[in-house]
Amino acid sequence: MAAGPLNSLTVRALSRSERWPSTVGSRPLAVVPCRPGTTAVRQLDDAPLTELVMNNLETTQRAVHRILGGVLSLPEDARTTLLVTARAWLEASGSAAEAGRALYRHQNTVRYRMHRLEEFLRGPLDNPKIVAELSMAIDAVGTVPTLLEHPHVLRPA
């Protein structure tokens, strides 16, 4: 569910239109909350999970906080390290070696970080349900970073 940057052609086309389109090409657009008091237009993957995440940001935020739990209370550096490692591990289909190459870290470092992350999850990472929940949460915060904020702080788009 990666949200990519809009290219300059897309931005120019949007700025000239009287009405924002809901898609550019086959990929949907969404207005998402960003930093305090701001929103941005993001181009999203056309995937069912993206639609679920964007359908109700308040519910998605509650789910993210239930899934990631204590990870979100870690200092920002530690939290970011674990979440970035989790994203790489998920993109590598659970391969510590491949995630390590992507992160320029040894595979044992990836394994250590994933074991550390596992301590905060609702179960072990050899459980497909836990991996699915982690994947949803990581994808959701990759699309809408403000989902990491405390649930009552989320600003509507």
Side-chain angles (χ1 to χ4, degrees):
M1 175 186 352
L6 296 171
N7 62 39
S8 59
L9 177 64
T10 304
V11 172
R12 273 186 268 129
L14 290 174
S15 66
R16 280 192 229 122
S17 71
E18 292 179 0
R19 185 173 76 77
W20 289 86
S22 59
T23 63
V24 172
S26 63
R27 294 177 62 194
L29 295 177
V31 177
V32 297
C34 293
R35 296 187 180 132
T38 66
T39 57
V41 176
R42 305 277 313 258
Q43 190 170 18
L44 309 171
D45 283 347
D46 187 16
L49 188 54
T50 303
E51 186 176 343
L52 283 173
V53 166
M54 297 306 296
N55 190 42
N56 186 326
L57 290 178
E58 193 173 306
T59 300
T60 299
Q61 186 176 44
R62 282 194 307 272
V64 164
H65 281 260
R66 286 184 65 199
I67 293 163
L68 296 177
V71 174
L72 301 180
S73 64
L74 293 172
E76 187 175 353
D77 288 348
R79 178 181 66 229
T80 300
T81 297
L82 292 180
L83 296 178
V84 167
T85 302
R87 177 177 293 287
W89 183 81
L90 289 165
E91 289 174 355
S93 301
S95 167
E98 191 176 323
R101 283 190 291 277
L103 295 170
Y104 301 101
R105 296 290 180 263
H106 193 277
Q107 62 187 351
N108 288 346
T109 301
V110 173
R111 285 189 189 102
Y112 169 78
R113 290 176 182 175
M114 293 307 294
H115 284 300
R116 177 110 197 282
L117 175 67
E118 197 172 40
E119 294 171 9
F120 295 101
L121 301 177
R122 298 170 350 120
L125 287 169
D126 60 0
N127 180 335
K129 183 177 179 180
I130 299 303
V131 173
E133 289 178 353
L134 176 62
S135 180
M136 187 285 301
I138 295 293
D139 285 347
V141 299
T143 302
V144 185
T146 57
L147 292 172
L148 290 173
E149 295 176 3
H150 192 48
H152 72 277
V153 178
L154 183 67
R155 293 163 197 84

